[in-house]
Amino acid sequence: ASVLFLRACLALLAMPIYLLSFLGIWEPFCRKIFFPYFLEKFSAVHERKTKKQKQELFRNLPDFTSPSGELKLLEIGTGCGANFQFYPPGCKVTCTDINPNFQRGLSRSMNKNQHVHYEHFLVAAGEDLHQVPSGSVDAVICTLVLCSVHSVNGTLKEVLRVLRPGGAFYFLEHVAADHSSWKYFWQQICYPTWKLVFDGCCLTREIWKNLEQASFSELKLQHISVALPWTPIQPHIIGYAVK
């Protein structure tokens, strides 16, 4: 009852956004203007908070170089390209995102990271990567994306399809807090309004369970807390899985 009451209070505070959504105005405005602007600013903050963890996470990317000597990466939900700085020199990156409106921030990130060879930008959802041939990439990267895909299992199925045998899937995602914690209590309260405001972002997904149930031969996963005070997205998982 307390969750429902506080959800209603939060919805009242966000009533203008709910009204714009009812009129069909908010979603296109969010996808084209608000969310690309917000994500670029938020990515800069998140990157500062997770820089050491990302450096450690991507440190072994060269280990998955194919026998031909090339390292082909596919990034799902590239956004503004916050991960480019961590990729090894000379690797080839195919960028995908369901939202094509990140081009300005993405271009800035590409210009800053000339050590990476950018092959394609594909407008594609994580659950449908049909433009990418099966078994064609050495590693797939996905950070802060599985919270908003329509199907986590569907996305992981596509990841496994496009990876070559022995390839790796790298992830860093915010997840549901422990169910007995106050963090989870506030996640439940914020959930509906947060999802509306931030383009479908879900606060209470237990993504580690999807990863554990997927058909990876090896999974290295760690639960961490990212210092993002006054937000409901502090609990994260980080790691990689091998096909």
Side-chain angles (χ1 to χ4, degrees), residues 197-208:
V197 174
F198 298 112
D199 200 24
C201 176
C202 298
L203 292 172
T204 56
R205 286 185 173 173
E206 298 175 331
I207 298 169
W208 66 90

Side-chain angles (χ1 to χ4, degrees), residues 75 78 81-87 95 106 109 113 115-116 118:
E75 182 162 1
T78 304
N83 295 321
F84 294 161
Q85 61 181 302
F86 302 105
Y87 297 161
C95 305
L106 187 60
S109 186
N113 295 280
H115 66 286
V116 175
Y118 304 100

Side-chain angles (χ1 to χ4, degrees), residues 120-139:
H120 308 286
F121 178 84
L122 307 175
V123 179
E127 305 91 336
D128 183 11
L129 300 170
H130 68 273
Q131 301 170 79
V132 183
S134 299
S136 63
V137 297
D138 302 303

Side-chain angles (χ1 to χ4, degrees), residues 37-215:
Y37 173 81
F38 166 81
L39 187 63
E40 187 171 7
K41 302 301 181 184
F42 174 77
S43 293
V45 175
H46 192 270
E47 190 276 324
R48 289 198 301 271
K49 301 290 186 179
T50 60
K51 187 169 184 177
K52 290 183 179 179
Q53 290 94 333
K54 281 190 175 184
Q55 287 173 335
E56 180 63 24
L57 173 65
F58 294 124
R59 182 175 54 84
N60 69 339
L61 258 177
D63 294 347
F64 295 98
T65 300
S66 66
S68 66
E70 289 186 327
L71 178 61
K72 293 185 177 182
L73 310 181
L74 172 71
E75 182 162 1
I76 299 175
T78 304
C80 301
N83 295 321
F84 294 161
Q85 61 181 302
F86 302 105
Y87 297 161
C91 67
K92 297 181 177 180
V93 181
T94 296
C95 305
T96 74
D97 206 293
I98 196 172
N99 188 343
N101 297 299
F102 294 110
Q103 291 290 348
R104 184 177 299 176
L106 187 60
S107 296
R108 281 197 288 267
S109 186
M110 286 177 170
N111 291 333
K112 290 179 183 177
N113 295 280
Q114 295 291 326
H115 66 286
V116 175
H117 176 70
Y118 304 100
E119 292 203 293
H120 308 286
F121 178 84
L122 307 175
V123 179
E127 305 91 336
D128 183 11
L129 300 170
H130 68 273
Q131 301 170 79
V132 183
S134 299
S136 63
V137 297
D138 302 303
V140 177
I141 291 91
C142 188
T143 60
L144 301 182
V145 174
L146 294 179
C147 60
S148 56
V149 297
H150 291 298
S151 170
V152 176
N153 288 335
T155 300
L156 294 179
K157 185 177 179 180
E158 278 290 81
V159 168
L160 283 162
R161 181 186 66 80
V162 302
L163 277 174
R164 65 166 176 82
F169 172 57
Y170 288 78
F171 55 87
L172 172 62
E173 301 287 341
H174 71 81
V175 294
D178 184 274
H179 286 205
S180 62
S181 67
W182 279 107
K183 289 179 182 178
Y184 185 70
F185 176 75
W186 287 109
Q187 283 180 335
Q188 290 184 88
I189 291 167
C190 295
Y191 181 91
T193 299
W194 185 277
K195 186 176 181 180
L196 173 64
V197 174
F198 298 112
D199 200 24
C201 176
C202 298
L203 292 172
T204 56
R205 286 185 173 173
E206 298 175 331
I207 298 169
W208 66 90
K209 294 183 178 179
N210 302 92
L211 287 161
E212 290 167 352
Q213 294 165 7
S215 301

Side-chain angles (χ1 to χ4, degrees), residues 22-48:
F22 177 76
L23 296 173
I25 297 172
W26 173 253
E27 282 76 9
F29 170 77
C30 178
R31 289 176 62 83
K32 188 172 183 178
I33 299 175
F34 170 74
F35 197 63
Y37 173 81
F38 166 81
L39 187 63
E40 187 171 7
K41 302 301 181 184
F42 174 77
S43 293
V45 175
H46 192 270
E47 190 276 324
R48 289 198 301 271

